[in-house]
Amino acid sequence: MVNVQLAAATAATVYVGPPAWTFGRVFSEWQAEPVVLAIAVLGTAGYLFGLVRLRRFGVPWAFGRTAAFLLGMALWVFTVCSGLGVYEKYLFTDRAVQSVVLLMVVPLLLAMGAPVSVLLEAAPERSRERMRALLRGRVAQVLMFPLVSTVVLIIPPWLLYFTPWYRLSLTTDLWNIAFHVGFVLFGLAYFWPRLQIDPVGRHYHPLLGVVITVAEVIFDAALGFILVFGSHMLVPDYWTSLHRPWGMSPRTDQSWGGAVLWGLGDIAGVPFLVALIIRVVREDRIETAKVDRRLDEEEAAARVTGQAAPAGAGLPRAAATPPPEEESTRPWWLDDPNLAHRFGGGEVGTGES
């Protein structure tokens, strides 16, 4: 009886999981995530099909957008199916890396690919008008309002780590899939209206996105600070139950994970900040071109007006229409044939004297 109880206790403390983490195993260890794989395959196929229709319609499309979208899909699959996915339930730091990539990097690349524009241009005319109506609707405008979309980006990490979602994502496949897909959707809800490459309900100056990015950095720093220096350890009983014989301790692992959320989150925001600055410069150039074009049109119209006056050269001077500037500075009586000679009105008065 004693031997049976000892064997049961020993079995309960046996580690069951992947081998010790190494950087090489991030690329050599793989697992299947059916939901993400299905989304990636269907999304990529739909995007490429839309591009074929665009080419058939003669609509130009930048290669960089296609490359960004495909890279985003590939990175999404890599994040959940490679070693990052294999070790996500065994290392706090691994999950932290996933959080940053799925929330900030993958959605940014997908949004840069302008998938909504592809869908709109490739859709039938009736469906296209319906989608545009939805984008112009009140619900879309509220969801794409800068304050709302910023909250959508800032809140998910706090919800993950300080609600039951974190424990459930470690112990339940359904909640883990919700993490893999939900973070990408939250990120898209932010980057879509901020980049404004795809159609949006309302246009906002990209400089506003630069200010919002600063606020997002502050919230990332606060979350990382709490995880690194806070005394509270997340789900300690879960980490203890793993009996992981390799790697750092759970408390050190959480500290490194918080540092990753803090530092990697800021680094991941740099490409977005660069994209916003480039868009600010482009919009300023577009606005400058519009002003220059308007000034050129006004100058051309002024030239046309100035050339119309000599058409009355064969008529008496009194019948000719003086330029607006002359009307405002020359007294009217100097051009009146009955009064000009009394006030030294030039040629008309001289002729009568």
Side-chain angles (χ1 to χ4, degrees):
M1 183 65 179
V2 175
N3 292 335
V4 173
Q5 292 178 345
L6 181 61
T10 303
T13 59
V14 171
Y15 168 72
V16 178
W21 183 93
T22 63
F23 183 75
R25 288 197 171 107
V26 174
F27 302 93
S28 62
E29 298 286 332
W30 291 86
Q31 67 176 5
E33 170 61 277
V35 175
V36 173
L37 286 174
I39 294 174
V41 171
L42 294 176
T44 302
Y47 188 89
L48 295 177
F49 176 74
L51 293 184
V52 172
R53 288 180 59 86
L54 291 183
R55 178 171 295 184
R56 185 181 305 168
F57 297 153
V59 178
W61 192 259
F63 173 77
R65 292 184 178 181
T66 304
F69 184 84
L70 297 180
L71 181 59
M73 283 295 185
L75 184 59
W76 191 359
V77 172
F78 178 83
T79 304
V80 300
C81 294
S82 69
L84 284 174
V86 173
Y87 288 91
E88 64 182 352
K89 298 179 180 180
Y90 298 90
L91 287 172
F92 188 99
T93 304
D94 190 276
R95 175 75 80 180
V97 173
Q98 282 186 315
S99 299
V100 175
V101 175
L102 293 178
L103 184 63
M104 301 193 64
V105 182
V106 171
L108 174 60
L109 291 171
L110 296 179
M112 290 176 65
V116 179
S117 297
V118 175
L119 181 62
L120 282 174
E121 295 296 335
E125 186 64 29
R126 182 177 300 178
S127 300
R128 189 183 311 169
E129 292 302 323
R130 290 176 181 174
M131 287 186 286
R132 286 175 177 170
L134 288 175
L135 292 175
R136 292 190 297 264
R138 183 175 298 274
V139 175
Q141 292 189 15
V142 170
L143 293 177
M144 294 184 181
F145 185 71
L147 179 60
V148 175
S149 60
T150 301
V151 171
V152 167
L153 183 75
I154 292 174
I155 290 300
W158 294 82
L159 290 178
L160 175 67
Y161 289 108
F162 296 105
T163 67
W165 189 2
Y166 189 66
R167 178 186 295 275
L168 291 171
S169 70
L170 296 171
T171 58
T172 308
D173 290 338
L174 181 61
W175 282 94
N176 196 35
I177 293 172
F179 162 69
H180 293 157
V181 178
F183 265 48
V184 174
L185 295 179
F186 284 129
L188 279 173
Y190 173 78
F191 288 111
W192 176 4
R194 293 285 64 79
L195 286 176
Q196 300 184 88
I197 298 176
D198 273 326
V200 293
R202 185 175 179 182
H203 177 80
Y204 296 95
H205 196 280
L207 190 59
L208 179 61
V210 177
V211 177
I212 291 175
T213 302
V214 175
E216 186 270 328
V217 168
I218 295 175
F219 275 87
D220 275 351
L223 177 60
F225 184 87
I226 292 174
L227 293 175
V228 173
F229 300 105
S231 58
H232 177 65
M233 184 175 170
L234 302 183
V235 292
D237 55 322
Y238 172 81
W239 301 116
T240 302
S241 67
L242 292 179
H243 304 291
R244 175 164 49 84
W246 49 265
M248 50 191 150
S249 67
R251 186 65 188 85
T252 304
D253 187 18
Q254 178 173 310
S255 297
W256 275 102
V260 165
L261 288 170
W262 189 344
L264 188 59
D266 292 344
I267 295 174
V270 172
F272 175 57
L273 191 60
V274 172
L276 285 179
I277 293 175
I278 292 175
R279 189 158 183 84
V280 170
V281 173
R282 287 179 178 175
E283 291 215 355
D284 288 342
R285 288 179 179 175
I286 293 174
E287 187 63 28
T288 302
K290 288 181 179 179
V291 173
D292 291 342
R293 185 165 57 251
R294 185 171 64 250
L295 293 176
D296 291 341
E297 292 173 354
E298 292 176 355
E299 184 178 354
R303 289 200 191 100
V304 172
T305 304
Q307 292 173 358
L315 301 175
R317 179 175 294 270
T321 303
E325 294 79 9
E326 188 174 347
E327 288 183 350
S328 62
T329 59
R330 182 179 175 87
W332 64 271
W333 59 79
L334 294 181
D335 296 317
D336 191 296
N338 298 319
L339 300 176
H341 66 283
R342 299 182 184 180
F343 301 97
E347 297 177 0
V348 175
T350 302
E352 290 187 356
S353 63

